[in-house]
Amino acid sequence: IKSVKLGSNVKSIGDSAFYEATNLSSVEISGAAKLGARAFYNCDALTTVSFPQVTSVGNNAFIFCSSLKSADLPQAKSIGEEAFGMCGVLESVSLGSVETIESEAFSDCSALKSIKLPKTLKTVGANAFTGMANEGQIEFLGDAPTVTAKIAEKEASVVYPAGNTTWTDQAREKILPFAKNNMYVRNADGSLSK
């Protein structure tokens, strides 16, 4: 199978639906709201996903998609554990309304240099961005999220909005322990400061 086009009548993609469909290079989904666990597990030829209606991405949904370069999920509210784990060439991720990013969701995405997380974000799981590009940048556009443990290595940098009182010393320390030098404030004029 090389190409899949699913219309608006499809409401969900089940667990392991395209598991190891290694020749699958094109997927168009216009209606599905939910991607099940391992839905596109190890789909080596898949390079881009743009799913405008998807609201939930299951655990391991795209893990080991070694050619995946970009993911556009503007309506996604939740990203499951290791959903994009080991996507080594993933460079671009757009999450317009995400609320929850589970543990290791983007672990070992070594080409991911930066990601902007929307104001809707509430929770980020442990090691969600561990293994992103060396000196990668994670920018939060809203309040400090609830975290259970560090979200990335200390080489990463975190950017948060100026004047937001939820970004306390304690919140910053939980998000990226021992990396105070890698914390930046995005000022109203767009500049960064420590």
Side-chain angles (χ1 to χ4, degrees):
I1 200 169
K2 290 185 177 184
S3 178
V4 172
K5 186 173 184 176
L6 302 172
S8 59
N9 59 329
V10 176
K11 300 302 178 203
S12 67
I13 309 284
D15 292 352
S16 304
F18 298 99
Y19 186 93
E20 293 192 341
T22 56
N23 294 321
L24 183 63
S25 60
S26 172
V27 179
E28 286 183 47
I29 300 174
S30 58
K34 180 182 176 190
L35 296 181
R38 301 169 308 283
F40 295 95
Y41 180 103
N42 199 28
C43 290
D44 288 346
L46 197 58
T47 58
T48 303
V49 293
S50 181
F51 300 154
Q53 301 302 318
V54 168
T55 58
S56 174
V57 178
N59 295 346
N60 306 114
F62 295 96
I63 194 169
F64 301 123
C65 289
S66 59
S67 298
L68 187 62
K69 288 188 175 187
S70 69
D72 182 22
L73 300 158
Q75 299 299 317
K77 302 287 185 217
S78 64
I79 307 294
E81 290 182 14
E82 292 188 291
F84 291 90
M86 306 290 199
C87 292
V89 298
L90 185 64
E91 298 171 333
S92 172
V93 177
S94 177
L95 303 170
S97 55
V98 72
E99 295 175 4
T100 302
I101 298 173
E102 297 291 346
S103 298
E104 300 184 28
F106 295 93
S107 63
D108 297 309
C109 291
S110 56
L112 188 60
K113 294 178 182 172
S114 67
I115 186 167
K116 286 188 178 185
L117 301 172
K119 292 179 179 180
T120 53
L121 184 66
K122 293 177 175 56
T123 307
V124 180
N127 299 308
F129 300 99
T130 295
M132 69 185 295
N134 193 23
E135 299 180 6
Q137 184 181 80
I138 305 162
E139 183 163 1
F140 295 88
L141 301 179
D143 291 349
T146 300
V147 297
T148 55
K150 72 176 175 74
I151 64 166
E153 288 100 354
K154 63 184 177 183
E155 292 81 15
S157 63
V158 168
V159 177
Y160 57 94
N164 187 313
T165 58
T166 65
W167 285 91
T168 62
D169 287 343
Q170 184 180 10
R172 292 191 307 265
E173 181 67 21
K174 271 187 155 181
I175 287 169
L176 206 60
F178 312 113
K180 286 184 180 179
N181 290 336
N182 292 359
M183 294 282 177
Y184 299 90
V185 175
R186 175 77 64 195
N187 299 306
D189 65 2
S191 66
L192 291 178
S193 60
K194 291 261 182 186

